[in-house]
Amino acid sequence: MSDRTGLLNKKRQLRTDRPLWAASPHISVEASATPAHRDYDVIIIGSGISGALMAQALADGKRRILVVDRREPVRGSTMASTAMIQHEIDVPLHQLGKMIGEKNAAAVWRRSARSVRDLGRLVEDLGIDCMFEKRNTLLLAGDEYGARALAEEADTRKAAGLEVDYLKPAELRQRFELDRTAALLSDCSASANPAQLTAGLLIAARTRGVEIVSGVTITDYRETRDGVVLATSDGRLLSAGDVIACTGYEFLTEMQHPSHQIVSTWAIATKPNAPRPAWLKDFLVWEASDPYLYFRSTPDGRIIAGGEDEADPKAHLDKDKAKLKFERIIKKLEVLLGVEIGKPAYGWAAPFGTTATGLPIIDKVPGCDHVHCVMGFGGNGITFSKIAAELLAARLAGKSDPDANRFLYPA
Ligand SMILES: Cc1cc2nc3c(=O)[nH]c(=O)nc-3n(C[C@H](O)[C@H](O)[C@H](O)COP(=O)(O)OP(=O)(O)OC[C@H]3O[C@@H](n4cnc5c(N)ncnc54)[C@H](O)[C@@H]3O)c2cc1C
């Protein structure tokens, strides 16, 4: 149908085993097996957190909007997420400034913080029951960023208008009983059950007229003078004024670029009421090491932790490797926190998207005016999905956003 040969995008195994959230209540979203219409104002491909936030941002009861997914709603990478909803971007501000310029870097960090706050307000307004909780973050010095780098980071963040405290070893030991050379403490992050959050957003969008279809793959598209025509796996042609590909790590073939990679990552969750320090209920913790370790707790007292990333995009499929990775994550946690955790109740592995700058790609597909793409790659993919929904809702409404040009597909 288009000039392209091959598929719209590559299907991947987006997670192995059963992640913690698969057992949650309230994650089912009613979906039809076929689209009710042929023509839409907007078609959103993908019903993960990116598609859900997009649908919610566009749902106005006037436009005809379709969300279409080859899987059941909420069954992609979002189900694997550890859902630390951070404003802190993977590449520290003082480093990002060197890559994209200080002004741009400060602007995207501030936007990230604002979007976490906006997401919290949205969840509250819609009354979504998804364990959404405000959290502080603790970034621990490690072998990648030590005390000196964290001090520079603190100064850079303060200059950009972001709240942060630099903690010296004595204070870190006194307040957290952690033995590291430094840490950064900041507020304005959050955590949630990502499956319940996404299902809640989709249900809210559906009540405002958004149609949701599952079990249908979009196989191809072509831009025409009037919009976009899409081909589906069940032999239909659909048309839309605009198409938004929220396909996660199954990104569109046209969006391939050396600046982003799919790697492998691992995560675990303990049983409820795991031995853990009391302060952890208010914090997300990230260790600035390579490989990194990150962790948080849930309201029922589980510890969720992850990291151990490897560059091989298929390593997550190796079950023997997964066992070793889970053991390593637990061991690191036990040593750092001084508690005995034992065997995890859940362990899962997944592909994970990274970019050189730690920033998402939120842009039109090259050569298209009406096909848009959301690639919330990086450790704060959920925050990036929120930013994408804000930017693209403004673009489709013909409004400008001061940050619209800060997340573009690299030239
Ligand atoms: C282990 C792990 C831990 C993570 N931890 C965090 C964290 O702590 N904090 C954070 O912010 N982020 C985290 N992330 C990242 C975050 O989870 C992702 O950025 C986010 O879930 C991606 O959501 P999405 O909606 O873009 O993709 P998905 O949830 O994968 O949804 C995309 C959907 O598109 C559908 N699709 C694709 N192609 C087609 C097609 N051609 N036709 C029809 N449907 C199609 C797929 O079936 C899929 O359901 C983590 C990720 C992983 C894997």
Side-chain angles (χ1 to χ4, degrees):
M1 186 171 152
S2 70
D3 298 336
R4 289 174 297 116
T5 53
L7 294 167
L8 178 92
N9 58 356
K10 181 175 161 191
K11 191 171 182 194
R12 295 175 187 274
Q13 186 170 334
L14 290 176
R15 54 197 165 80
T16 59
D17 309 315
R18 267 180 74 244
L20 168 64
W21 316 114
S24 314
H26 315 305
I27 60 169
S28 295
V29 178
E30 208 178 293
S32 317
T34 51
H37 308 280
R38 192 191 165 280
D39 302 313
Y40 291 88
D41 293 303
V42 183
I43 294 181
I44 297 167
I45 314 172
S47 60
I49 186 68
S50 305
L53 281 164
M54 198 66 250
Q56 203 286 325
L58 294 178
D60 56 5
K62 296 183 198 133
R63 282 178 284 199
R64 194 184 273 177
I65 300 171
L66 171 69
V67 175
V68 56
D69 200 308
R70 57 174 149 223
R71 298 177 174 86
E72 270 183 64
V74 204
R75 295 309 190 273
S77 300
T78 298
M79 189 63 91
S81 184
T82 45
M84 312 223 302
I85 305 174
Q86 286 186 255
H87 74 289
E88 289 165 302
I89 295 169
D90 288 352
V91 175
L93 181 54
H94 75 280
Q95 290 293 338
L96 190 61
K98 292 175 197 155
M99 295 173 159
I100 64 169
E102 285 172 19
K103 194 170 154 235
N104 277 329
V108 297
W109 266 72
R110 281 194 296 267
R111 182 61 180 246
S112 185
R114 197 182 100 192
S115 290
V116 174
R117 285 193 290 268
D118 289 350
L119 181 59
R121 267 192 288 273
L122 180 65
V123 168
E124 203 177 325
D125 289 351
L126 295 174
I128 299 175
D129 189 3
C130 63
M131 298 197 287
F132 195 96
E133 292 186 327
K134 286 188 180 154
R135 298 283 186 124
N136 301 314
T137 58
L138 200 58
L139 174 68
L140 301 174
D143 61 22
E144 197 174 23
Y145 296 104
R148 206 163 344 139
L150 291 201
E152 187 179 351
E153 177 66 6
D155 290 343
T156 318
R157 285 196 208 171
K158 281 180 192 158
L162 294 155
E163 295 277 331
V164 64
D165 286 330
Y166 177 83
L167 303 188
K168 291 183 178 161
E171 198 177 356
L172 195 52
R173 218 168 293 127
Q174 191 214 334
R175 286 181 64 181
F176 300 96
E177 291 182 40
L178 292 175
D179 201 14
R180 286 291 182 275
T181 54
L184 294 187
L185 194 160
S186 33
D187 61 2
C188 102
S189 288
S191 62
N193 175 324
Q196 289 179 336
L197 169 61
T198 304
L201 289 163
L202 287 170
I203 291 165
R206 209 192 49 216
T207 57
R208 285 198 285 151
V210 172
E211 194 184 325
I212 303 174
V213 165
S214 74
V216 173
T217 300
I218 301 298
T219 55
D220 209 347
Y221 68 86
R222 176 187 285 174
E223 267 209 5
T224 65
R225 241 192 342 214
D226 308 318
V228 188
V229 179
L230 297 168
T232 69
S233 50
D234 59 355
R236 280 162 215 273
L237 291 180
L238 302 172
S239 69
D242 284 277
V243 169
I244 306 176
C246 296
T247 56
Y249 306 142
E250 295 177 337
F251 57 85
L252 301 192
T253 313
E254 282 81 357
M255 301 305 283
Q256 181 71 53
H257 192 277
S259 68
H260 65 81
Q261 258 91 41
I262 301 295
V263 303
S264 292
T265 195
W266 289 264
I268 61 100
T270 66
K271 290 193 188 111
N273 301 316
R276 65 200 185 284
W279 55 262
L280 188 58
K281 70 179 177 26
D282 299 318
F283 280 85
L284 310 177
V285 187
W286 194 284
E287 188 179 45
S289 287
D290 185 15
Y292 56 78
L293 171 74
Y294 65 88
F295 57 97
R296 68 166 172 108
S297 61
T298 58
D300 60 356
R302 294 180 195 272
I303 300 178
I304 299 177
E308 287 295 316
D309 295 12
E310 278 192 19
D312 178 356
K314 292 203 171 140
H316 68 95
L317 299 170
D318 183 335
K319 285 198 184 308
D320 293 331
K321 179 168 275 188
K323 270 192 209 140
L324 291 174
K325 295 284 187 184
F326 300 150
E327 278 168 21
R328 216 170 286 161
I329 292 170
I330 294 279
K331 188 85 222 150
K332 280 189 186 172
L333 268 178
E334 289 183 334
V335 171
L336 182 66
L337 296 179
V339 294
E340 203 173 306
I341 290 167
K343 263 179 98 82
Y346 294 85
W348 64 100
F352 179 65
T354 63
T355 61
T357 54
L359 298 180
I361 297 169
I362 305 163
D363 200 0
K364 291 177 185 167
V365 170
C368 294
D369 284 322
H370 296 283
V371 184
H372 316 265
C373 202
V374 174
M375 294 163 68
F377 288 12
N380 32 359
I382 296 175
T383 308
F384 292 153
S385 300
K386 177 73 174 96
I387 296 177
E390 292 162 3
L391 296 189
L392 293 184
R395 189 190 294 166
L396 266 52
K399 295 183 187 151
S400 62
D401 185 296
D403 297 322
N405 291 332
R406 301 196 205 273
F407 305 100
L408 300 182
Y409 180 73

